[in-house]
Amino acid sequence: MTEITPQSPSASTDDHYAVQYDRLGDEPLSVAIADAVATFCGDDVIELEPLHYAINADALERLFEPRADGLRSGGTVTFEYHDCIVTVESTGEIRVSSA
């Protein structure tokens, strides 16, 4: 997971936090989401409830994983998790804001 810097198209502010997920890396998307939410909330990631309480994490992983014909070029999933609104873009961007 790579944090988006203020020079990137999105930036961290007090009302939202954005990171760029490496869709070809080894880290699971669900872990990147939990890390982003924990960072935004100022919590330790182990204090968060399991992601699968908010969304089917396996289905989310499959939706955005590389496919035989390449990476998904479109699509967004938005859901509530740990009193936050999480948006995952097909580009790999993960945005977290207050619910």
Side-chain angles (χ1 to χ4, degrees), residues 43-99:
D43 293 334
D44 191 321
V45 72
I46 62 172
E47 295 175 9
L48 303 181
E49 64 272 10
L51 182 62
H52 69 264
Y53 287 3
I55 193 167
N56 183 327
D58 292 334
L60 186 64
E61 296 276 353
R62 285 192 306 276
L63 183 62
F64 290 108
E65 70 187 4
R67 301 176 316 175
D69 61 349
L71 295 172
R72 182 175 300 278
S73 61
T76 302
V77 173
T78 301
F79 59 95
E80 190 170 335
Y81 173 57
H82 196 69
D83 295 326
C84 297
I85 301 297
V86 178
T87 300
V88 180
E89 298 275 345
S90 62
T91 60
E93 184 177 77
I94 300 169
R95 286 188 314 273
V96 182
S97 60
S98 297

Side-chain angles (χ1 to χ4, degrees), residues 2-71:
T2 305
E3 189 168 332
I4 294 178
T5 64
Q7 294 82 13
S8 299
S10 295
S12 297
T13 66
D14 289 339
D15 64 344
H16 80 275
Y17 177 74
V19 293
Q20 185 64 40
Y21 171 68
D22 181 1
R23 297 180 297 161
L24 298 175
D26 293 333
E27 181 180 50
L29 177 58
S30 56
V31 172
I33 291 169
D35 285 342
V37 169
T39 299
F40 176 74
C41 294
D43 293 334
D44 191 321
V45 72
I46 62 172
E47 295 175 9
L48 303 181
E49 64 272 10
L51 182 62
H52 69 264
Y53 287 3
I55 193 167
N56 183 327
D58 292 334
L60 186 64
E61 296 276 353
R62 285 192 306 276
L63 183 62
F64 290 108
E65 70 187 4
R67 301 176 316 175
D69 61 349
L71 295 172

